[in-house]
Amino acid sequence: MAGRPRDGSRPVRAGRLGVGVVGAGRVGPVLGAALANAEHAVVGITAVSMSSVDRAEALLPGVPVLTTPELVERSELVLLAVPDDQLAELVQGLADAGIWQPGQLVVHTSPDHGVGILAPAMAAGAIPLAIHPAMAFTGTSVDLSRLRDAYCAVTAPGPVLPIAQALVVEMGAEPFVVAEQDRPAYADAVRAAVSFSTAIVDQSAGTLSSIGVERPGRVLGALVRSAVDNALTAADGQSAL
């Protein structure tokens, strides 16, 4: 699935894909930029609000903003970076409209789901992949450097699992496999880590602010990072010393 994007625009080097990004929130433009850095051609992105348009332009300059049907029709790899509660309806709606194409790669970024939610696209011959980067996104270029230190949960049918793993490596991250039935537990784990970390920092920063400490985030920075590093080392069964 290499060659030229379906809209006849710029050619893609052999082995490269025409990528369409559905969703210009914090995740989609960053992953699109990471794939562009790996020499894939981003053929379009969807964006509704002015902030999402600005984000898309900042991370994917010159990439056209398209409607979802236009984008899917032009793409060899469709990246669905939409809120979890919109994913099922989006996939089914595109199936009902007959827009999914045989051999097309369809990737979603939801932590909650494996490839089962992509069944309507699979029925049309699309290849389903689930890739979730285990990191908190800012929606800026900062995320591209953070992605190089991140891990991505991948779920896919056995024959195409190497494709998902290769895409993660191309984006600069490290893949690890999560079984279809284990995706809900995985989602619980990553959400707990993010919410707990955020709550503790907010509480501590608020206390420091109340006693007159300026820039409490900077004061807490080294403490929080070292404490988290020690906890993560212990989680891997290693000594912090």
Side-chain angles (χ1 to χ4, degrees):
M1 282 182 295
R4 182 179 296 274
R6 290 186 174 88
D7 63 349
S9 61
R10 59 176 174 153
V12 184
R13 184 170 67 82
R16 303 297 86 186
L17 298 167
V19 177
V21 181
V22 180
R26 294 184 176 183
V27 177
V30 172
L31 298 187
L35 289 168
N37 289 342
E39 299 186 29
H40 294 287
V42 180
V43 300
I45 187 168
T46 66
V48 178
S49 67
M50 286 306 301
S51 60
S52 64
V53 171
D54 290 343
R55 187 180 300 113
E57 179 60 29
L59 286 162
L60 296 167
V63 171
V65 175
L66 304 174
T67 67
T68 300
E70 287 177 316
L71 183 144
V72 174
E73 288 175 347
R74 297 182 184 190
S75 303
E76 295 165 305
L77 185 158
V78 180
L79 180 66
L80 302 176
V82 299
D84 296 332
D85 59 359
Q86 298 177 18
L87 183 58
E89 183 178 359
L90 173 64
V91 175
Q92 185 63 60
L94 290 168
D96 292 343
I99 294 174
W100 295 120
Q101 301 166 55
Q104 190 173 47
L105 295 172
V106 183
V107 181
H108 78 71
T109 62
S110 167
D112 297 88
H113 303 285
V115 296
I117 200 166
L118 299 176
M122 294 168 60
I127 299 170
L129 310 172
I131 298 175
H132 177 259
M135 60 177 275
F137 283 76
T138 66
T140 68
S141 59
V142 170
D143 295 330
L144 291 171
S145 59
R146 290 179 176 175
L147 192 59
R148 291 194 287 270
D149 294 323
Y151 285 74
C152 291
V154 298
T155 305
V160 296
L161 183 60
I163 297 176
Q165 293 169 313
L167 288 170
V168 170
V169 171
E170 287 190 320
M171 289 188 290
E174 183 77 19
F176 67 99
V177 178
V178 175
E180 181 83 12
Q181 67 271 17
D182 293 332
R183 292 290 289 212
Y186 164 76
D188 287 344
V190 295
R191 288 201 173 99
V194 171
S195 60
F196 179 77
S197 301
T198 301
I200 291 300
V201 170
D202 286 348
Q203 178 182 342
S204 298
T207 300
L208 291 178
S209 293
S210 72
I211 61 174
V213 176
E214 297 182 359
R215 296 185 176 180
R218 292 191 179 187
V219 172
L220 291 169
L223 172 65
V224 171
R225 292 187 190 97
S226 59
V228 170
D229 284 345
N230 290 346
L232 293 174
T233 299
D236 285 339
Q238 302 174 28
S239 171
L241 300 179

